[in-house]
Amino acid sequence: MTTPPPIPNQSEQRPGISRRFTFQPMAEGKSPVLLVEALLKYPGRIIHELQHNWRAALTCWLLILALLGMAMYGVVVGSFSGGTQMLIAPAKLALGTLLSVLICLPSLYIFACLGGIDARLRTVSGVLFAAVGLGALLLIGFAPVAWIFSQSTDSVAFMGTLHLILWAIGMSFGLRLIEAMGRLLSGSARSHMKLWGLIFVAVCLQMTTTLRPIVGTSNHFLPGEKKFFLAHWWESFSGANQKK
């Protein structure tokens, strides 16, 4: 008579996952401070909560954190030009982040299903909010660096490049959380999540062009013409070089 294989303990460390992504319940408490601490130190616990102990409040707090964090960094972006941009830049960054998340959420859920991830839509959406929130927290940490440069240079092209680099660093950590969801909930699906990450990055970059100007000023709140983000970057750099 054969004995059934042992049931794996979900709190144990899985191969290929760092200690930060330990799959176990969060500590007691519902404070936003505890949520931020878990997101920075043990994001795997947030994935566990979203999968096994889902609460609407947790998902809402993750979304608020993502949008509020981007808006706070937007104040630093707006400080480059000052004036009304101090309000316009935060509004555009928060709005662009929300639209990008809503646009890419359906494809993330489909990719997760195709990758064999056994997660509900509410779990996938919560993990996406957490990923963007983690990126926003890193941007807040970079805010003093961005502010120093915004007060010491008048180059729109340079500041735009700096903000994109800092955003890319923040989102690289956020996308690791999406990848960890695949590892923790299915043990695979890494390629699916990486492919979706490229799509999400492209959508976010196009959103910055759609909502331009975010760095710098304009007579219009939104542009009057459609433009691909690479074409917009090329024109911005070309214009900056011609002024030298």
Side-chain angles (χ1 to χ4, degrees), residues 13 19 32 114 124 134:
Q13 185 70 25
R19 188 175 179 180
L114 293 176
V124 175
L134 180 56

Side-chain angles (χ1 to χ4, degrees), residues 8-78:
N9 185 359
Q10 290 180 334
S11 63
E12 293 180 353
Q13 185 70 25
R14 293 194 180 185
I17 297 292
S18 66
R19 188 175 179 180
R20 293 181 63 248
F21 295 102
T22 301
F23 196 53
Q24 57 186 217
M26 288 178 58
E28 295 291 335
K30 300 180 180 179
S31 169
V33 176
L34 294 177
L35 178 61
V36 171
E37 184 178 359
L39 193 58
L40 291 173
K41 295 181 179 180
Y42 305 106
R45 296 180 181 180
I46 293 181
I47 300 176
H48 183 281
E49 291 295 308
L50 291 169
Q51 178 71 354
H52 298 290
N53 302 308
W54 182 87
R55 305 184 305 274
L58 176 59
T59 303
C60 291
W61 274 118
L62 289 171
L63 179 59
I64 291 173
L65 174 64
L67 299 182
L68 183 61
M70 295 302 298
M72 291 174 62
Y73 185 76
V75 175
V76 178
V77 177

